Amino acid sequence: MAYLKGERLDATEIPHDPWRALPKQPGYEDLVLLECGKKARRVTRLGRQFFAHWPKIYCQIDHKSESSQHLAMKVALKDRINACPGWSAEVEYVGPGRQWIADVMAVHDTGRRLAFEVQLSPQTEEDYFDRSQRYADAGIGPVWVVPQQVSWRDLKLPVIVTGFGKSSELPEAPSDLMSRQEYQPLYLKAMCVGLCVDNVLHPSFRWEPGSPNQQRQRLLKEAEAARQRAAAAVAAEIACSDEEARKAAAQWKVKQQQELVAAEEAARFVRLAMPAQAITSGLPIVAGAPIWGSVVICPKSNHSVLIWRLSDPVSTDPKESRWLSERENFRNVHRHVESWLEAANEPVLKGKLVPVKSSGNPLGFTCTDCNHLIQGRLVRMLAPDKWSIIAGAEGPAIRYVSSEQALQGWESLRARPQPKRQARREQKPRRQMTGAAPVAQHSDVIGPQGKPFWMTEARSAEEIAERQAAKDARAAQLQAVRDNPRYHLQPNGFRFNCLDCGNVFEDGYEGIHAESRCVAGRR
């Protein structure tokens, strides 16, 4: 952006021919940059049009070059705002004294202003709050447009998630960015980016938490009120001369301390929880139904534990139990979870499901290392961005990435010695069902494999005749075995004792016995 005789010029919107003829316009030597007000010139490089300083001009401002993705998102926001009745948009809007420059400033006919800031690069939490407060001081509402959801500790800011970052592929038209479907924390559901922008521009939209300073002041007041309540309790305890009153005060103090410890434990548990896909590059395991996983830190042993659930973590059903049902403990679910752990190859323990004393016989997770029960209320406190799909039919629909702070906290705990994960138990091969019933094996007994002679499986008259002939032939063969004087029929009706060698065989395996098992036959 630049100024020429008081007129704003956007290098991205000037056609090619007027851009080339710009140096020939009267007053071109008075062209200045928007950010610093110093002399500028037009530059064309690698097919891109932009303004730059005149050579040998010193400037204290760091003019950062914007990526093509950043420019495309600003154009998409500007067009969407201009299409909304009563609203107009201006790119690179300069504030008083050049203290701030909004990427896209939305101005309503009533005078209401919203500053849309496109933030594709990582930024600290304090930078978010300081820049937002500058807009709030000017009577402007800040709205952050980010590629993925951002997690903050105490304060809250309005954000629009686009799923479009610095390394994303550019769309054919900037307006295509408004049709992207992403999970929006403002409304706790997935919706189009353009629809979310329209809702923010609606007159009914209000940011209830207030500016960063207002939120800080409110937190300070709450902390001061809690301190005063604690001081009043201590004073009451000192002034109380009655033994029972002093005992009650002491019990109240212990309860308050326990609640404080529980609150700190819950906050730490939620802060350090990580979506399973955020700690590894492993892909989800192919399964018939989706399985959501999260890596949490055991409050007792500080070991990383993988927990899972079959229900959608975005669900906000108030009737949903804080514990788990028996579905999460099915054998196929365990098999998919163990397969994902083997593919991930990370020092993470697999959580263990145990019965919980509650109505309905629910289940809860415990740490595999120390058997510490992970409270169901802590698991239900995990936000949707703390879960990711580890098994599903087509992979994850949304790839959540946790905050940098949580990732650092998890990495610090991960550096500690971790116990070896229990090896996956070797599963016995499943029995294949055949036409004959399976029979327990014995070291001295030859068991049947069975032959499918079911008449209902025949598909033609010729096949029915063939199967009937096979059944008749087998019946005749078995009858010959029963009539053989060398064999003694046992009471169960299908096993025989060989009188020559003493071995046992079943009626359908007389041929194998006679050829390889019968001692008398080999002699």
Side-chain angles (χ1 to χ4, degrees):
M1 303 296 298
Y3 279 120
L4 181 58
K5 293 184 178 182
E7 180 184 358
R8 287 170 54 96
L9 299 180
D10 189 342
T12 62
E13 295 183 351
I14 301 177
H16 179 67
D17 292 339
W19 176 261
R20 294 189 60 186
L22 188 61
K24 299 179 182 180
Q25 290 189 12
Y28 175 73
E29 60 276 3
D30 297 329
L31 184 70
V32 295
L33 288 179
L34 181 144
E35 292 90 344
C36 62
K38 294 191 176 183
K39 190 175 181 180
R41 59 192 176 96
R42 70 117 174 93
V43 180
T44 304
R45 185 178 299 162
L46 299 178
R48 183 179 176 187
Q49 301 177 174
F50 59 93
F51 294 109
H53 275 303
W54 200 263
K56 298 182 180 180
I57 288 184
Y58 174 73
C59 181
Q60 295 180 346
I61 298 178
D62 182 16
H63 298 274
K64 297 181 179 179
S65 177
E66 294 181 341
S67 63
S68 300
Q69 288 80 1
H70 193 276
L71 293 174
M73 182 57 70
K74 290 199 298 185
V75 172
L77 287 171
K78 181 192 69 174
D79 295 340
R80 188 77 180 195
I81 295 170
N82 286 331
C84 190
W87 288 92
S88 60
E90 185 173 337
V91 179
E92 296 297 329
Y93 186 89
V94 181
R98 302 180 184 275
Q99 295 181 356
W100 48 264
I101 300 176
D103 286 337
V104 181
M105 178 64 71
V107 182
H108 194 258
D109 295 341
T110 59
R112 182 187 177 193
R113 294 185 295 174
L114 295 175
F116 288 81
E117 281 290 342
V118 180
Q119 188 65 35
L120 304 185
S121 302
Q123 185 176 232
T124 64
E125 187 172 335
E126 288 300 322
D127 288 339
Y128 273 110
F129 297 143
D130 292 343
R131 293 174 62 184
S132 299
Q133 188 58 44
R134 286 200 294 266
Y135 286 119
D137 293 339
I140 302 172
V143 180
W144 293 94
V145 182
V146 296
Q148 58 199 14
Q149 185 174 349
V150 184
S151 298
W152 293 300
R153 292 189 298 272
D154 301 322
L155 307 183
K156 299 179 181 180
L157 294 176
V159 296
I160 298 177
V161 180
T162 64
F164 183 73
K166 295 181 68 175
S167 59
S168 300
E169 184 178 354
L170 289 172
E172 296 182 359
S175 59
D176 295 343
L177 296 175
M178 295 292 102
S179 61
R180 296 176 68 93
Q181 189 86 1
E182 298 292 338
Y183 177 78
Q184 301 298 337
L186 276 176
Y187 302 101
L188 299 178
K189 64 180 180 179
M191 61 190 305
C192 291
V193 175
L195 181 58
C196 190
V197 173
D198 295 342
N199 292 342
V200 171
L201 296 175
H202 196 272
S204 63
F205 178 80
R206 293 290 183 274
W207 185 242
E208 299 298 338
S211 67
N213 283 345
Q214 291 173 343
Q215 296 183 52
R216 286 191 176 102
Q217 292 298 326
R218 186 162 55 251
L219 292 175
L220 289 175
K221 289 181 180 179
E222 293 176 356
E224 179 63 20
R227 188 193 66 80
Q228 292 179 359
R229 288 194 299 268
V234 173
E237 181 181 359
I238 295 175
C240 183
S241 57
D242 186 73
E243 184 65 24
E244 294 182 359
R246 285 198 298 269
K247 183 177 180 181
Q251 292 177 351
W252 180 88
K253 188 175 180 180
V254 171
K255 182 179 180 181
Q256 291 293 320
Q257 186 66 25
Q258 292 176 348
E259 292 178 354
L260 179 60
V261 172
E264 292 176 352
E265 177 182 332
R268 178 177 181 271
F269 181 88
V270 173
R271 185 176 68 255
L272 296 181
M274 297 288 297
Q277 292 292 350
I279 65 169
T280 179
S281 58
L283 296 176
I285 302 300
V286 177
I291 302 176
W292 298 77
S294 180
V295 178
V296 299
I297 302 301
C298 175
K300 182 178 180 180
S301 63
N302 284 336
H303 288 306
S304 304
V305 180
L306 175 67
I307 62 176
W308 61 90
R309 60 184 294 177
L310 300 183
S311 58
D312 190 348
V314 183
S315 174
T316 58
D317 186 2
K319 298 181 180 179
E320 188 175 7
S321 173
R322 66 178 185 174
W323 299 105
L324 300 174
S325 63
E326 61 178 357
R327 297 191 306 130
E328 277 79 3
N329 203 27
F330 285 170
R331 183 178 299 176
N332 62 331
V333 175
H334 280 279
R335 185 171 68 252
H336 294 318
V337 172
E338 292 170 357
S339 299
W340 185 87
L341 281 172
E342 292 179 357
N345 194 23
E346 291 288 338
V348 179
L349 298 173
K350 173 192 170 188
K352 183 170 60 175
L353 283 170
V354 297
V356 180
K357 293 182 179 180
S358 182
S359 60
N361 298 323
L363 302 175
F365 281 105
T366 61
C367 176
T368 310
D369 180 60
C370 63
N371 292 327
H372 178 74
L373 179 64
I374 300 175
Q375 294 293 329
R377 62 180 181 85
L378 299 180
V379 177
R380 293 303 175 194
M381 289 173 62
L382 297 179
D385 62 329
K386 299 293 185 179
W387 298 88
S388 60
I389 292 182
I390 62 175
E394 300 178 355
I398 302 176
R399 194 174 184 86
Y400 297 107
V401 180
S402 185
S403 63
E404 181 179 356
Q405 179 192 7
L407 182 60
Q408 291 176 355
W410 186 85
E411 290 291 348
S412 64
L413 292 172
R414 180 185 177 188
R416 301 180 180 181
Q418 298 281 346
K420 294 184 179 179
R421 180 161 50 88
Q422 295 181 357
R424 182 179 179 183
R425 295 182 179 179
E426 182 178 359
Q427 297 182 353
K428 297 182 180 180
R430 296 183 177 181
R431 297 180 299 181
Q432 297 183 354
M433 300 303 294
T434 60
V439 179
Q441 298 295 324
H442 190 272
S443 59
D444 295 329
V445 179
I446 303 175
Q449 296 297 324
K451 297 182 180 180
F453 288 141
W454 309 115
M455 305 304 292
T456 56
E457 296 178 356
R459 292 171 292 182
S460 63
E462 291 78 7
E463 193 171 355
I464 291 177
E466 292 175 0
R467 295 198 175 209
Q468 186 61 46
K471 292 181 68 174
D472 295 339
R474 186 177 182 184
Q477 180 184 4
L478 297 180
Q479 187 61 39
V481 173
R482 290 184 174 88
D483 296 337
N484 194 326
R486 293 175 54 198
Y487 305 137
H488 172 69
L489 179 63
Q490 292 186 355
N492 55 24
F494 61 90
R495 283 185 180 176
F496 293 84
N497 288 91
C498 180
L499 301 180
D500 292 340
C501 66
N503 282 336
V504 180
F505 64 91
E506 295 181 5
D507 50 11
Y509 279 73
E510 188 274 342
I512 297 178
H513 167 75
E515 295 176 2
S516 60
R517 291 294 186 93
C518 185
V519 178
R522 289 199 299 268
R523 290 198 297 250

